[in-house]
Amino acid sequence: MPVTGLATVLLSTAVLLVIVSAVQPMAKRLELSETVLLAIVGIILGGAADLVLRSSQIHFFDTAAEMLLDFPINSEGFLLIFLPILVFQAGLAIDVRRLYHDIGTVLLLAIVAVVFSTAMIGLALYPFSGMPMIVCLLIGSIVATTDPSAVAGIFREIGAATRLTRLVEGESLLNDAAAISIFSTLIAAVIAHKEVHFFSSAISILISFAGAILAGYIFARLSLWMIVALGSTSGRAAEITLTVALPYISYIACDEIIGFSGVVAAATAGLTLSAYGPSTFRPQTWRFLNEIWQQIVFWAGSLLFVLASMLVPRLLIGMTKWDCVLVLVAIIAGLIARGIVIFGLLPILSATKLSPPISTPFKATMVWGGLRGAITLALALAVTENELISTPISHFVGIIATGFVLITLLVNGTTLRAVVVYFRLDELTPIDQAVRHQILSISLGRVRDKTRRIANEFGFANQVIRYVIEDLDRRIEEEQEANTFDTALGNRERIALALITIATQERSILLDLFRMQGLPRRVMETLVRSAEATIDGAWQEGRYGYVTAMHKRLHPPLRFRIAQYIHRKLHIDKPLMYCMMERFEILLVSRFVSISLTRFVKRRIEPDLGTRVAEIISEVLERQNRMLDDALETMRMHYQGYVEALESRFLKLVALRLEREEYDSLLGESMISDELYSELDKLTEKRFERYNRRLQFNLKSGIEKRVRELPCLRDVPQAVLYDLSMSMSICFVFPGEIIFKRGQIVRNVYFISSGLFETHVESKAFLYGIGDVLGANEYIYNRRLSSIYRSLRFGYLLIMRVDVFKRLLMDYPVVKQNLIQIDHARHRPNDELNEGIKTPLLTYDPNTSTSNETLMISRQSPTEVDKK
């Protein structure tokens, strides 16, 4: 009884998956690309099935042949089912941070190269094909899209330079979209028998691209928001399910509803998830998600290639010798067009600093690696299936496109490995080779010592120990003889390498900490993005770039400043309260990570890269630690109870994580049963959930106490001080922040609760510290600000509106007298001090004599302060 209906589809799919599973190990044995072998298998299956149906003597396999040839999927099915997940996973797998450095090259290859190849191939075919120009351009758009799977697979197998793989994968993200957009415009013109208006079409494509990028980003961010909203109790199954739905929602909503490019939307969604996913998903979920998507794409890509290749014999029916000539013309034109773009335009990008330079071997490999694949066949099939297109045009498009794909796969695809090896792109750079010998010689020494210790503990025979240790000694000696680390790398290169290593290690530590439930996702996202910024800074500008990114991390972000503005102007506290809570947690975690990095320098950087490099890196980290301590101390001074509660909560989370790891270890050693482990895990999970609730934070905690301690408000009634504290706003400032600009009218006065501030008057520097008031003198003497007031450290200010300050001076003249005395103490000549003239000074001493010390500092020069 023959199998029919849905069962036929499922059986055919299952048979093809069995074939695909056999192709993968066979490709490794034959040293061929999996994609190339899949195409060959598909062509063989399609040809054999067609031969069986045409034969009058073979009837046993008729059902199987019909099942393969009549597979219920057309060109629209190819694009809708397979394309969204292929481009989405391509974006998900790319390191967005690294791709950003080559964005100029990627855009050139993905857009300019597609447009140029379309025009070049169309113009080359027009004189020889006898077809209208628009049909020739249609062919050009179909074969302009490259397929990265075969190329990237070869590069990974032979260990080619990662940048080469990244460029190929980055190109593939957008060139499908560009080619499909041009194809859609041209095929619509062919069907309607109209001319194409290139300017309006270009504007339409640009709008489609821009809209799709925005839509894809929004869809991805909404998915991430849903994942955060679901919380840790949702489980990774729900989170991964959302990512499976994301590419189809992005693609279909843009392509079918909004009218933008669905390919660009799906690719953008993948890139967005790649950028924000590590700091949103738990590390174990993120690893599992990538593994799942690799499996999904393996199935989709393999089925797409086999199914598309099975149609090749049908598309090549009626092919003539002249068609072979036309295919060769298209191939040559495509290679020339790609060569002109890569060898002609990439140097311009490098010269204008829009893209890092690319070596000639890289360029030659990229030209030869422009393989075409299943998307080209799917677009050709869309033309042949369209009943509104005449048979000659359908026949012409099907043959040329199919022939183009076959030649690039069977010629370029099979020889690309040899090209990479010929140009020695599979070898490490001299710097990587030097680092390799250095690392191996040191690591093998550690392995040798551990091996000897373990062998003695377990009582191995001395002869066996000597044989193994001698082999390790021989390898260590070989690496030491080949080691050119000291001569290949100067101090600058070593420092840059060490900083990149440190920044990468910081990111790893943060992601490891993220495994602890209870740490907010937004905090971890901020910290991970900051660590990635330091990696970028170290890559681009070495030590300077790392330090710049490190300083930027400690400055409050735009959201924090907006929250402070809302708090000051509208007296709405909640936005600033949440920002303050996040800043506390960011500073606390950053401090712990910085201490871990200092230990990592001693343990790894110093033995591997040398003492001098380790000293420089330690100095950079020590400076970072001082800034973190300063920022934390400023906040701890005003919110001591909250900081202690936060530290206690963090330490409890660490203890719970260690507890869970202990249970995992006991289970792995079969010390406890699965049932007992499950019970213990549930108890641990409940404790983790208890710490998922954020601590309560009072933004105005301690303000009244600080107001009472201000020396300028001495002798003001307590009830008035209470009212003042309730009307004041708070403001955290960072080093270098400008409080007042020159010529500015005083609208607020700032009471310094902590920090250090500087201004210059007549080439003299004046420092202001705890207890001083910024802007008071200018208001009292009714003058505009003649200099800039700038913060030198992290500080905490109490802000009072000038109209409130005016009423305070009118109601309590003692405040004005206090301010004049403080100002007089600051501006007294040094000989007054030496002669011992007694000028009444106010003291501000909540804990120690801080105010008198601050006043003394204010008379010193900045150089003297630095020395102190």
Side-chain angles (χ1 to χ4, degrees):
M1 180 179 178
V3 181
T4 59
L6 180 60
T8 303
V9 178
L10 294 176
L11 181 59
S12 302
T13 304
V15 170
L16 292 177
L17 287 174
V18 171
I19 294 172
V20 164
S21 65
V23 165
Q24 189 179 35
M26 190 182 301
K28 291 182 179 179
R29 290 184 181 180
L30 298 175
E31 292 188 349
L32 279 176
S33 166
E34 291 179 20
T35 306
V36 174
L37 192 57
L38 284 170
I40 294 173
V41 169
I43 293 170
I44 292 173
L45 285 175
D50 188 66
L51 181 64
V52 167
L53 291 179
R54 291 175 181 275
S55 173
S56 58
Q57 299 178 351
I58 307 174
H59 299 288
F60 182 76
F61 297 103
D62 284 356
T63 303
E66 290 177 356
M67 186 170 58
L68 290 176
L69 289 181
D70 295 334
F71 200 86
I73 186 170
N74 54 16
S75 58
E76 184 181 12
F78 280 126
L79 297 179
L80 281 178
I81 296 173
F82 298 114
L83 192 56
I85 55 178
L86 289 176
V87 297
F88 176 82
Q89 195 276 337
L92 184 65
I94 284 182
D95 187 339
V96 179
R97 177 172 39 83
R98 296 285 183 87
L99 181 66
Y100 176 76
H101 300 323
D102 285 303
I103 191 64
T105 305
V106 168
L107 290 176
L108 181 74
L109 295 173
I111 298 176
V112 177
V114 168
V115 174
F116 192 73
S117 295
T118 298
M120 190 81 174
I121 294 170
L123 292 173
L125 287 174
Y126 179 65
F128 305 102
S129 63
M131 289 288 173
M133 173 61 76
I134 194 169
V135 175
C136 296
L137 291 174
L138 181 65
I139 281 287
S141 68
I142 291 174
V143 300
T145 175
T146 58
D147 193 313
S149 53
V151 183
I154 293 173
F155 289 165
R156 292 193 192 96
E157 288 173 13
I158 62 179
T162 55
R163 189 185 179 200
L164 195 57
T165 305
R166 187 167 62 249
L167 288 174
V168 170
E169 291 178 336
E171 174 191 2
S172 72
L173 273 178
L174 295 179
N175 69 5
D176 286 342
I180 291 174
S181 298
I182 297 173
F183 169 80
S184 301
T185 301
L186 293 175
I187 197 172
V190 169
I191 294 173
H193 302 287
K194 293 181 179 179
E195 294 183 357
V196 176
H197 299 286
F198 291 100
F199 181 77
S200 60
S201 298
I203 295 296
S204 176
I205 290 174
L206 288 175
I207 293 174
S208 175
F209 266 57
I213 290 173
L214 180 61
Y217 177 80
I218 291 173
F219 282 128
R221 292 296 286 176
L222 285 174
S223 295
L224 292 171
W225 176 83
M226 287 184 64
I227 290 168
V228 172
L230 289 173
S232 59
T233 57
S234 61
R236 65 184 185 183
E239 295 176 352
I240 291 171
T241 302
L242 284 173
T243 68
V244 174
L246 177 59
Y248 288 106
I249 292 173
S250 303
Y251 185 94
I252 296 174
C254 282
D255 205 56
E256 302 290 336
I257 301 173
I258 305 176
F260 295 149
S261 172
V263 180
V264 173
T268 304
L271 289 171
T272 304
L273 209 66
S274 174
Y276 294 98
S279 55
T280 302
F281 294 89
R282 299 288 168 185
Q284 57 270 36
T285 303
W286 180 247
R287 287 192 295 269
F288 181 68
L289 183 146
N290 279 279
E291 292 171 359
I292 286 290
W293 270 102
Q294 288 173 8
Q295 185 63 58
I296 291 173
V297 165
F298 172 73
W299 290 332
S302 301
L303 287 175
L304 177 60
F305 253 96
V306 172
L307 290 171
S309 301
M310 285 167 52
L311 301 173
V312 167
R314 183 189 305 176
L315 292 172
L316 290 179
I317 293 175
M319 186 175 185
T320 63
K321 293 181 180 180
W322 184 245
D323 290 330
C324 295
V325 173
L326 293 178
V327 171
L328 291 176
V329 169
I331 287 286
I332 294 171
L335 280 174
I336 293 174
R338 191 168 176 82
I340 290 173
V341 171
I342 292 176
F343 281 95
L345 298 183
L346 284 184
I348 298 176
L349 287 181
S350 301
T352 55
K353 307 297 183 182
L354 294 175
S355 175
I358 296 177
S359 64
T360 300
F362 265 48
K363 294 175 186 174
T365 306
M366 290 166 66
V367 171
W368 193 249
L371 277 62
R372 273 61 170 180
I375 302 301
T376 299
L377 291 176
L379 294 178
L381 187 63
V383 175
T384 60
E385 289 178 347
N386 198 315
E387 297 178 354
L388 299 176
I389 297 178
S390 64
T391 302
I393 293 177
S394 300
H395 179 77
F396 171 72
V397 169
I399 287 178
I400 302 301
T402 306
F404 201 108
V405 171
L406 286 179
I407 291 180
T408 58
L409 284 176
L410 300 180
V411 178
N412 299 53
T414 55
T415 57
L416 184 59
R417 182 189 299 268
V419 173
V420 174
V421 174
Y422 175 78
F423 286 120
R424 304 176 70 177
L425 296 178
D426 57 331
E427 298 179 359
L428 295 173
T429 63
I431 292 179
D432 284 336
Q433 288 178 358
V435 173
R436 173 188 181 276
H437 295 308
Q438 174 83 349
I439 296 298
L440 271 179
S441 61
I442 295 172
S443 300
L444 287 174
R446 297 191 187 109
V447 171
R448 177 194 56 194
D449 296 339
K450 291 180 181 179
T451 302
R452 182 185 287 116
R453 185 175 67 252
I454 292 173
N456 291 329
E457 288 177 358
F458 285 90
F460 284 88
N462 291 333
Q463 184 176 357
V464 174
I465 297 175
R466 186 170 59 253
Y467 173 76
V468 175
I469 297 300
E470 285 178 355
D471 182 63
L472 287 171
D473 285 334
R474 177 184 55 78
R475 292 178 61 191
I476 293 171
E477 185 177 351
E478 290 176 355
E479 295 297 336
Q480 289 176 344
E481 290 177 355
N483 191 359
T484 59
F485 183 79
D486 293 333
T487 57
L489 273 74
N491 280 336
R492 178 171 295 184
E493 288 80 7
R494 294 191 201 184
I495 291 170
L497 178 63
L499 288 173
I500 293 168
T501 305
I502 285 292
T504 306
Q505 176 68 11
E506 179 180 1
R507 186 177 185 273
S508 299
I509 293 173
L510 287 169
L511 291 177
D512 190 47
L513 285 175
F514 193 31
R515 292 170 55 192
M516 293 191 305
Q517 300 174 19
L519 292 177
R521 293 178 188 265
R522 183 187 290 276
V523 169
M524 295 309 299
E525 179 177 328
T526 302
L527 287 169
V528 171
R529 300 296 295 174
S530 175
E532 290 174 347
T534 59
I535 296 174
D536 290 341
W539 268 108
Q540 294 176 345
E541 300 177 90
R543 183 179 178 181
Y544 175 78
Y546 179 89
V547 171
T548 302
M550 180 184 69
H551 286 175
K552 187 176 180 181
R553 168 197 305 175
L554 294 175
H555 290 182
L558 178 62
R559 190 162 57 87
F560 189 95
R561 299 181 191 181
I562 294 174
Q564 285 200 144
Y565 180 84
I566 293 173
H567 164 72
R568 185 169 66 250
K569 294 294 185 181
L570 305 177
H571 300 285
I572 299 175
D573 297 339
K574 276 198 173 182
L576 183 58
M577 182 184 70
Y578 287 120
C579 287
M580 289 284 293
M581 292 167 66
E582 288 181 7
R583 182 153 179 81
F584 267 122
E585 291 168 331
I586 287 171
L587 290 174
L588 191 63
V589 174
S590 296
R591 185 70 179 94
F592 295 147
V593 172
S594 185
I595 294 172
S596 300
L597 292 178
T598 303
R599 295 174 179 173
F600 178 78
V601 170
K602 290 290 184 184
R603 190 177 73 254
R604 284 295 188 182
I605 299 297
E606 186 172 351
D608 294 344
L609 299 181
T611 304
R612 177 57 184 160
V613 174
E615 289 176 353
I616 294 174
I617 302 303
S618 297
E619 180 184 344
V620 172
L621 290 176
E622 181 60 31
R623 195 174 304 164
Q624 175 178 328
N625 290 342
R626 287 199 299 269
M627 294 183 69
L628 283 168
D629 287 339
D630 188 18
L632 267 173
E633 190 59 33
T634 300
M635 305 181 81
R636 188 191 301 270
M637 185 184 300
H638 301 87
Y639 302 101
Q640 178 68 29
Y642 182 80
V643 174
E644 290 180 357
L646 194 62
E647 289 178 341
S648 173
R649 179 170 173 265
F650 187 85
L651 188 58
K652 287 179 180 178
L653 288 172
V654 172
L656 281 175
R657 177 181 169 181
L658 294 175
E659 183 180 349
R660 175 172 282 176
E661 289 177 353
E662 179 66 19
Y663 298 152
D664 292 339
S665 177
L666 290 173
L667 179 66
E669 296 171 353
S670 301
M671 294 294 294
I672 58 177
S673 64
D674 290 339
E675 293 79 10
L676 178 55
Y677 174 80
S678 178
E679 179 65 23
L680 294 173
D681 187 60
K682 288 178 181 177
L683 293 174
T684 309
E685 186 69 28
K686 288 181 180 179
R687 294 190 182 97
F688 270 121
E689 289 178 3
R690 191 183 309 160
Y691 297 114
N692 275 333
R693 295 187 293 271
R694 305 290 292 272
L695 295 174
Q696 296 297 319
F697 178 73
N698 183 3
L699 184 64
K700 294 191 175 181
S701 172
I703 288 184
E704 184 181 357
K705 179 175 179 291
R706 290 289 165 183
V707 169
R708 289 175 180 173
E709 294 168 348
L710 289 171
C712 63
L713 300 181
R714 193 182 65 174
D715 298 330
V716 176
Q718 296 296 318
V720 175
L721 292 179
Y722 175 79
D723 292 337
L724 288 176
S725 65
M726 292 299 100
S727 66
M728 283 183 170
S729 303
I730 67 172
C731 177
F732 275 90
V733 295
F734 56 87
E737 183 173 355
I738 294 175
I739 309 302
F740 286 123
K741 298 180 180 178
R742 186 179 288 109
Q744 180 180 340
I745 298 175
V746 176
R747 302 186 185 281
N748 296 291
V749 291
Y750 297 86
F751 296 82
I752 302 176
S753 185
S754 63
L756 190 63
F757 300 82
E758 176 189 44
T759 187
H760 292 265
V761 178
E762 297 177 354
S763 72
K764 294 181 181 179
F766 293 93
L767 300 180
Y768 297 84
I770 299 174
D772 288 332
V773 186
L774 304 181
N777 288 341
E778 285 78 5
Y779 177 76
I780 290 173
Y781 296 113
N782 193 25
R783 62 174 182 256
R784 286 178 176 265
L785 292 156
S786 59
S787 59
I788 295 174
Y789 286 79
R790 179 184 287 107
S791 172
L792 299 179
R793 296 169 51 184
F794 290 98
Y796 182 94
L797 299 174
L798 301 175
I799 306 174
M800 180 182 292
R801 295 198 318 272
V802 72
D803 57 332
V804 177
F805 186 65
K806 178 181 178 180
R807 289 197 304 270
L808 178 65
L809 295 180
M810 292 174 59
D811 295 341
Y812 301 96
V814 67
V815 176
K816 185 174 182 179
Q817 295 174 12
N818 293 340
L819 289 169
I820 291 174
Q821 288 182 14
I822 293 174
D823 186 60
H824 178 68
R826 174 175 294 102
H827 291 84
R828 275 192 305 165
N830 288 332
D831 55 356
E832 263 191 57
L833 294 176
N834 296 332
E835 293 173 8
I837 297 177
K838 301 295 184 181
T839 301
L841 295 178
L842 296 172
T843 59
Y844 172 55
D845 187 12
N847 300 308
T848 59
S849 56
T850 311
S851 181
N852 284 332
E853 181 183 350
T854 303
L855 293 175
M856 292 297 293
I857 290 175
S858 66
R859 298 189 191 98
Q860 300 170 1
S861 66
T863 306
E864 291 173 324
V865 175
D866 291 339
K867 289 179 181 178
K868 196 169 184 179

